[in-house]
Amino acid sequence: MGGAISLLAVNFIVAQIFVAAFLIISVKSRSGRAAAWCAAGFAVASVSAICEAVLPFTPMPRLFAVGAFANVLAGFCLLRIGLGVFYSVPAKPPVLASFFIGSVIVDLFIYDLPRGTLLHAFFYQMPFFLIQAWSAAAIIRSRRRSYAADGILLCMLALSALYFLVKIYAAVAAGSGATAADYLQSPFALISQALGAMLIVGTGVAMLGVMVKDVVDEARASSEIDALSGLCNRRGFSSRVAPLLRDLSDHDVGTLILADIDRFKLVNDTFGHHTGDEVIREFSHILADVMPHRAVAGRVGGEEFAIFLPRVGLADARIVANGIRSELAVKRINGLPEGVAVTASFGVSAVAAGELLDAAMRRADNSLYAAKAGGRNRVECAEPPIRVIASADYHRSGKYRPT
């Protein structure tokens, strides 16, 4: 009995550590609600350790035996709610409540059945198998299951469900005591508590992993987003465009648009920085509305913006840039007098497969300068980049022929 009691104590302490960890995440992350539900789940489930420890010494074993069952199952149900919130696959409260109440009623009915029989073990373990399988199914149904951390959590929940299924036969084979009070003295108890502790730790760590990853991703995204415009900052723009450039093949082309708001300093000096901020926000909204799917937009300077259009040719990119220019020119902006319009100039450059972003930025910047010099409120396109390939005469002449 001493070994089983010790494992119950360990399980209880471990559960409290997870409660504290999930509560910390709940105040640090946008997935705070999900973490709070998980903290509640571990807190409620940990009470079962107290119930099982009291069982051999209480004159009311039925109360504590059913209490232990109900607390573990309630904890798993709360975890299912938390995972549903996190993965956007919510469990219907009436269904979950009916499942919990029905399972507890069944446990009350089977309490007097002989322990160690297949009938008792089946009805006792099956609710735990179902709730863990239900939680695993939430991850499978979600759109986040491609992440490695989510895959690990899915595996842990699947293992946990399998564990409760195997326990049906293990309880019969190893013996789980003649009564609920005898459980801690049975050979089955020590094995069950040890394996249960391992799965609790593994599943808890996996759940913490996916939520901590969410916190890290959120912090990283915040560091790459410009607070005023809501678009990427220079760092975020570069990091998001880099994989799109790598995806370009020899037959693909991307396009880079640089935009600069005309006479922006004059707007700030004449109408105030609050109006200047409003101009930035409105221009950012136009970019978000006009740019095509998969395009990346960023505020890369005070009044300078960049848009990368994957698999869009120079001619189509020019149309996009002119659309943005026209939208801004007729936009009514708060803080500006009636009849005062804000314009922008644009430089457009094609981006070849394998080309560095900096090279395309320089060409687009030169075109932007030409647009400014040409009178502003216009779009200028750079010459396509020169691609160098080996000619058929290379082996004879030792020279490359540009195309």
Side-chain angles (χ1 to χ4, degrees), residues 11-47:
N11 288 351
F12 181 83
I13 294 170
V14 168
Q16 304 317 306
I17 294 172
F18 281 120
V19 169
F22 281 114
L23 286 177
I24 291 171
I25 293 177
S26 71
V27 299
K28 294 287 186 180
S29 170
R30 63 187 172 189
S31 18
R33 281 182 58 238
W37 281 110
C38 291
F42 275 95
V44 171
S46 69
V47 177

Short mmCIF file of all heavy atoms in Angstrom, two decimals, residues 11-47:
data_model
loop_
_atom_site.label_atom_id
_atom_site.label_comp_id
_atom_site.label_asym_id
_atom_site.label_seq_id
_atom_site.Cartn_x
_atom_site.Cartn_y
_atom_site.Cartn_z
N ASN A 11 1.56 12.02 -7.92
CA ASN A 11 0.59 12.47 -8.93
C ASN A 11 -0.08 13.77 -8.52
O ASN A 11 -0.30 14.66 -9.35
CB ASN A 11 -0.48 11.39 -9.16
CG ASN A 11 0.07 10.20 -9.91
OD1 ASN A 11 1.18 10.22 -10.42
ND2 ASN A 11 -0.72 9.13 -9.97
N PHE A 12 -0.40 13.88 -7.24
CA PHE A 12 -1.05 15.09 -6.75
C PHE A 12 -0.12 16.30 -6.90
O PHE A 12 -0.54 17.37 -7.36
CB PHE A 12 -1.46 14.91 -5.28
CG PHE A 12 -2.15 16.11 -4.70
CD1 PHE A 12 -3.51 16.31 -4.90
CD2 PHE A 12 -1.45 17.05 -3.96
CE1 PHE A 12 -4.15 17.42 -4.39
CE2 PHE A 12 -2.08 18.16 -3.43
CZ PHE A 12 -3.44 18.36 -3.64
N ILE A 13 1.14 16.13 -6.50
CA ILE A 13 2.10 17.24 -6.58
C ILE A 13 2.34 17.65 -8.03
O ILE A 13 2.38 18.84 -8.36
CB ILE A 13 3.42 16.86 -5.88
CG1 ILE A 13 3.18 16.68 -4.38
CG2 ILE A 13 4.50 17.90 -6.13
CD1 ILE A 13 4.35 16.07 -3.63
N VAL A 14 2.51 16.65 -8.89
CA VAL A 14 2.73 16.94 -10.31
C VAL A 14 1.54 17.70 -10.90
O VAL A 14 1.71 18.66 -11.67
CB VAL A 14 2.97 15.63 -11.11
CG1 VAL A 14 2.90 15.89 -12.60
CG2 VAL A 14 4.32 15.04 -10.73
N ALA A 15 0.34 17.30 -10.51
CA ALA A 15 -0.85 17.99 -11.01
C ALA A 15 -0.87 19.45 -10.59
O ALA A 15 -1.23 20.33 -11.38
CB ALA A 15 -2.11 17.28 -10.50
N GLN A 16 -0.42 19.73 -9.34
CA GLN A 16 -0.41 21.12 -8.89
C GLN A 16 0.62 21.95 -9.66
O GLN A 16 0.43 23.15 -9.90
CB GLN A 16 -0.10 21.19 -7.38
CG GLN A 16 -1.04 20.39 -6.50
CD GLN A 16 -2.50 20.52 -6.90
OE1 GLN A 16 -3.04 21.62 -7.02
NE2 GLN A 16 -3.15 19.38 -7.13
N ILE A 17 1.73 21.31 -10.04
CA ILE A 17 2.74 22.01 -10.85
C ILE A 17 2.14 22.40 -12.20
O ILE A 17 2.32 23.52 -12.69
CB ILE A 17 3.99 21.13 -11.05
CG1 ILE A 17 4.70 20.93 -9.70
CG2 ILE A 17 4.94 21.74 -12.08
CD1 ILE A 17 5.83 19.92 -9.75
N PHE A 18 1.37 21.47 -12.78
CA PHE A 18 0.73 21.78 -14.06
C PHE A 18 -0.34 22.85 -13.91
O PHE A 18 -0.50 23.71 -14.79
CB PHE A 18 0.13 20.52 -14.68
CG PHE A 18 1.13 19.63 -15.35
CD1 PHE A 18 1.32 18.33 -14.94
CD2 PHE A 18 1.90 20.10 -16.40
CE1 PHE A 18 2.26 17.51 -15.55
CE2 PHE A 18 2.84 19.30 -17.03
CZ PHE A 18 3.02 17.99 -16.60
N VAL A 19 -1.05 22.82 -12.79
CA VAL A 19 -2.05 23.87 -12.53
C VAL A 19 -1.38 25.24 -12.54
O VAL A 19 -1.85 26.19 -13.20
CB VAL A 19 -2.76 23.63 -11.18
CG1 VAL A 19 -3.60 24.85 -10.79
CG2 VAL A 19 -3.65 22.40 -11.25
N ALA A 20 -0.25 25.36 -11.81
CA ALA A 20 0.46 26.63 -11.75
C ALA A 20 0.97 27.05 -13.13
O ALA A 20 0.86 28.22 -13.53
CB ALA A 20 1.64 26.52 -10.77
N ALA A 21 1.51 26.09 -13.89
CA ALA A 21 2.05 26.40 -15.21
C ALA A 21 0.96 26.90 -16.16
O ALA A 21 1.14 27.90 -16.88
CB ALA A 21 2.74 25.17 -15.80
N PHE A 22 -0.19 26.22 -16.16
CA PHE A 22 -1.27 26.65 -17.06
C PHE A 22 -1.85 27.99 -16.63
O PHE A 22 -2.27 28.79 -17.48
CB PHE A 22 -2.36 25.58 -17.10
CG PHE A 22 -2.03 24.42 -17.99
CD1 PHE A 22 -1.84 23.15 -17.47
CD2 PHE A 22 -1.91 24.59 -19.36
CE1 PHE A 22 -1.53 22.07 -18.28
CE2 PHE A 22 -1.60 23.52 -20.20
CZ PHE A 22 -1.40 22.26 -19.65
N LEU A 23 -1.88 28.26 -15.32
CA LEU A 23 -2.37 29.56 -14.87
C LEU A 23 -1.44 30.68 -15.31
O LEU A 23 -1.90 31.78 -15.69
CB LEU A 23 -2.50 29.57 -13.34
CG LEU A 23 -3.69 28.78 -12.77
CD1 LEU A 23 -3.66 28.79 -11.25
CD2 LEU A 23 -5.02 29.35 -13.28
N ILE A 24 -0.14 30.42 -15.31
CA ILE A 24 0.81 31.44 -15.79
C ILE A 24 0.57 31.71 -17.28
O ILE A 24 0.53 32.86 -17.72
CB ILE A 24 2.26 30.97 -15.55
CG1 ILE A 24 2.56 30.95 -14.04
CG2 ILE A 24 3.26 31.87 -16.28
CD1 ILE A 24 3.88 30.31 -13.69
N ILE A 25 0.39 30.64 -18.05
CA ILE A 25 0.14 30.81 -19.49
C ILE A 25 -1.17 31.55 -19.72
O ILE A 25 -1.30 32.35 -20.65
CB ILE A 25 0.12 29.44 -20.19
CG1 ILE A 25 1.52 28.82 -20.17
CG2 ILE A 25 -0.38 29.57 -21.63
CD1 ILE A 25 1.58 27.43 -20.77
N SER A 26 -2.15 31.31 -18.84
CA SER A 26 -3.46 31.93 -19.04
C SER A 26 -3.42 33.45 -18.96
O SER A 26 -4.30 34.12 -19.52
CB SER A 26 -4.46 31.38 -18.00
OG SER A 26 -4.18 31.88 -16.71
N VAL A 27 -2.42 34.01 -18.27
CA VAL A 27 -2.32 35.47 -18.20
C VAL A 27 -1.26 36.02 -19.15
O VAL A 27 -1.05 37.22 -19.22
CB VAL A 27 -2.00 35.93 -16.76
CG1 VAL A 27 -3.10 35.52 -15.81
CG2 VAL A 27 -0.66 35.36 -16.27
N LYS A 28 -0.58 35.13 -19.89
CA LYS A 28 0.50 35.57 -20.76
C LYS A 28 0.21 35.36 -22.25
O LYS A 28 1.00 35.77 -23.09
CB LYS A 28 1.79 34.80 -20.43
CG LYS A 28 2.35 35.09 -19.04
CD LYS A 28 2.99 36.45 -18.97
CE LYS A 28 3.67 36.69 -17.63
NZ LYS A 28 4.29 38.03 -17.56
N SER A 29 -0.91 34.72 -22.56
CA SER A 29 -1.13 34.33 -23.95
C SER A 29 -2.54 34.66 -24.38
O SER A 29 -3.46 34.78 -23.56
CB SER A 29 -0.88 32.82 -24.10
OG SER A 29 -1.29 32.36 -25.35
N ARG A 30 -2.71 34.77 -25.70
CA ARG A 30 -4.05 34.99 -26.25
C ARG A 30 -4.90 33.74 -26.09
O ARG A 30 -6.11 33.78 -26.24
CB ARG A 30 -3.94 35.37 -27.73
CG ARG A 30 -3.32 34.31 -28.61
CD ARG A 30 -3.09 34.80 -30.02
NE ARG A 30 -2.33 33.83 -30.79
CZ ARG A 30 -1.84 34.08 -32.00
NH1 ARG A 30 -2.04 35.26 -32.56
NH2 ARG A 30 -1.17 33.16 -32.65
N SER A 31 -4.24 32.57 -25.85
CA SER A 31 -5.00 31.35 -25.57
C SER A 31 -5.22 31.19 -24.08
O SER A 31 -5.21 30.09 -23.56
CB SER A 31 -4.29 30.12 -26.12
OG SER A 31 -2.97 30.29 -26.40
N GLY A 32 -5.42 32.31 -23.39
CA GLY A 32 -5.57 32.28 -21.93
C GLY A 32 -6.77 31.47 -21.47
O GLY A 32 -6.70 30.77 -20.46
N ARG A 33 -7.89 31.55 -22.20
CA ARG A 33 -9.09 30.80 -21.80
C ARG A 33 -8.83 29.31 -21.85
O ARG A 33 -9.23 28.56 -20.95
CB ARG A 33 -10.26 31.15 -22.71
CG ARG A 33 -10.94 32.47 -22.38
CD ARG A 33 -12.12 32.74 -23.29
NE ARG A 33 -13.12 31.69 -23.24
CZ ARG A 33 -13.52 30.99 -24.30
NH1 ARG A 33 -12.99 31.21 -25.48
NH2 ARG A 33 -14.44 30.07 -24.16
N ALA A 34 -8.16 28.86 -22.89
CA ALA A 34 -7.86 27.44 -23.03
C ALA A 34 -6.96 26.98 -21.89
O ALA A 34 -7.19 25.91 -21.29
CB ALA A 34 -7.19 27.16 -24.37
N ALA A 35 -5.93 27.77 -21.57
CA ALA A 35 -5.01 27.40 -20.49
C ALA A 35 -5.72 27.39 -19.14
O ALA A 35 -5.44 26.55 -18.28
CB ALA A 35 -3.83 28.38 -20.46
N ALA A 36 -6.65 28.31 -18.93
CA ALA A 36 -7.40 28.35 -17.67
C ALA A 36 -8.26 27.08 -17.50
O ALA A 36 -8.34 26.52 -16.40
CB ALA A 36 -8.28 29.60 -17.62
N TRP A 37 -8.88 26.63 -18.59
CA TRP A 37 -9.67 25.38 -18.54
C TRP A 37 -8.76 24.19 -18.22
O TRP A 37 -9.14 23.30 -17.44
CB TRP A 37 -10.38 25.14 -19.86
CG TRP A 37 -11.64 25.94 -20.06
CD1 TRP A 37 -11.84 26.97 -20.91
CD2 TRP A 37 -12.89 25.76 -19.35
NE1 TRP A 37 -13.13 27.45 -20.80
CE2 TRP A 37 -13.79 26.72 -19.85
CE3 TRP A 37 -13.31 24.89 -18.36
CZ2 TRP A 37 -15.10 26.84 -19.40
CZ3 TRP A 37 -14.62 24.98 -17.90
CH2 TRP A 37 -15.50 25.95 -18.41
N CYS A 38 -7.57 24.19 -18.80
CA CYS A 38 -6.63 23.09 -18.54
C CYS A 38 -6.16 23.11 -17.09
O CYS A 38 -6.01 22.05 -16.47
CB CYS A 38 -5.43 23.18 -19.48
SG CYS A 38 -5.84 22.83 -21.21
N ALA A 39 -5.92 24.31 -16.56
CA ALA A 39 -5.53 24.42 -15.14
C ALA A 39 -6.64 23.87 -14.24
O ALA A 39 -6.38 23.12 -13.29
CB ALA A 39 -5.24 25.88 -14.80
N ALA A 40 -7.88 24.22 -14.58
CA ALA A 40 -9.01 23.70 -13.81
C ALA A 40 -9.10 22.18 -13.92
O ALA A 40 -9.41 21.48 -12.95
CB ALA A 40 -10.31 24.34 -14.29
N GLY A 41 -8.81 21.65 -15.12
CA GLY A 41 -8.87 20.20 -15.31
C GLY A 41 -7.88 19.47 -14.43
O GLY A 41 -8.23 18.47 -13.78
N PHE A 42 -6.63 19.94 -14.39
CA PHE A 42 -5.63 19.28 -13.55
C PHE A 42 -5.96 19.45 -12.06
O PHE A 42 -5.72 18.54 -11.27
CB PHE A 42 -4.24 19.84 -13.86
CG PHE A 42 -3.57 19.17 -15.01
CD1 PHE A 42 -3.65 19.70 -16.30
CD2 PHE A 42 -2.86 17.99 -14.84
CE1 PHE A 42 -3.05 19.07 -17.38
CE2 PHE A 42 -2.24 17.34 -15.91
CZ PHE A 42 -2.34 17.89 -17.18
N ALA A 43 -6.50 20.62 -11.69
CA ALA A 43 -6.84 20.85 -10.29
C ALA A 43 -7.94 19.89 -9.83
O ALA A 43 -7.85 19.28 -8.75
CB ALA A 43 -7.28 22.29 -10.10
N VAL A 44 -8.98 19.75 -10.65
CA VAL A 44 -10.10 18.87 -10.28
C VAL A 44 -9.65 17.41 -10.28
O VAL A 44 -9.96 16.64 -9.36
CB VAL A 44 -11.28 19.08 -11.25
CG1 VAL A 44 -12.36 18.02 -11.03
CG2 VAL A 44 -11.87 20.47 -11.07
N ALA A 45 -8.90 17.00 -11.30
CA ALA A 45 -8.46 15.60 -11.39
C ALA A 45 -7.55 15.23 -10.22
O ALA A 45 -7.56 14.08 -9.76
CB ALA A 45 -7.73 15.36 -12.70
N SER A 46 -6.78 16.19 -9.71
CA SER A 46 -5.84 15.89 -8.61
C SER A 46 -6.56 15.53 -7.31
O SER A 46 -6.00 14.85 -6.46
CB SER A 46 -4.91 17.07 -8.36
OG SER A 46 -5.62 18.18 -7.82
N VAL A 47 -7.80 15.96 -7.18
CA VAL A 47 -8.56 15.64 -5.96
C VAL A 47 -8.79 14.14 -5.85
O VAL A 47 -8.95 13.59 -4.75
CB VAL A 47 -9.90 16.41 -5.95
CG1 VAL A 47 -10.74 16.05 -4.73
CG2 VAL A 47 -9.64 17.91 -5.99
#
